[in-house]
Amino acid sequence: MSNPQQLRYSKEHEWLSATEDGVATIGITEFAANALGDVVYAQLPEVGETVTAGETCGELESTKSVSDLYSPVTGEVTEANQDVADDPSLVNSAPFEGGWLFKVRISEEPKDLLSAAEYTELAGN
């Protein structure tokens, strides 16, 4: 399993892209997607909603369980991935590409985000 080097990661297994005009893309890692199993439902935060770093902002339901979705940053949601809402299996098949979950205009970024190497060590692979 390869975690893209350009991304940063949370200890709750979310990834965060570099910001583009203050907006970052958020998703879950391949490790988390594999642990969840086949994702069959995604409840994503709504556009305009404020999310807070480390707090629940949605959920992913799989054939194995239901898992809370946490935001790795604080800010306002600017976009939710409608493709994932329509086809949640994208979270499993393309977690770092088409399976991204939402975009946030960041107002506060935590200092404890991990590099790809640090996340790989945390995930044990």
Side-chain angles (χ1 to χ4, degrees):
M1 189 174 328
S2 177
N3 297 303
Q5 297 295 311
Q6 75 276 17
L7 302 177
R8 287 171 291 155
Y9 301 85
S10 75
K11 292 177 182 170
E12 289 78 30
H13 308 287
E14 284 85 24
W15 59 261
L16 170 77
S17 71
T19 59
E20 189 173 308
D21 295 330
V23 175
T25 303
I26 313 276
I28 66 166
T29 65
E30 185 176 3
F31 175 83
N34 288 340
L36 272 173
D38 295 332
V39 177
V40 295
Y41 175 75
Q43 177 197 348
L44 304 176
E46 295 184 18
V47 173
E49 186 177 332
T50 298
V51 294
T52 303
E55 292 189 9
T56 303
C57 63
E59 67 180 30
L60 297 174
E61 184 177 328
S62 72
T63 54
K64 292 182 181 179
S65 67
V66 175
S67 180
D68 286 334
L69 176 62
Y70 297 92
S71 179
V73 294
T74 297
E76 181 182 341
V77 176
T78 62
E79 185 178 350
N81 188 346
Q82 188 59 47
D83 291 341
V84 166
D86 294 341
D87 181 7
S89 70
L90 288 171
V91 171
N92 298 104
S93 63
F96 296 113
E97 294 89 27
W100 62 271
L101 301 175
F102 60 99
K103 295 184 180 187
V104 175
R105 181 168 309 285
I106 298 175
S107 61
E108 184 181 329
E109 188 174 320
K111 305 292 184 231
D112 61 351
L113 292 174
L114 307 172
S115 68
E118 291 167 328
Y119 178 74
T120 298
E121 186 175 318
L122 172 80
N125 41 18

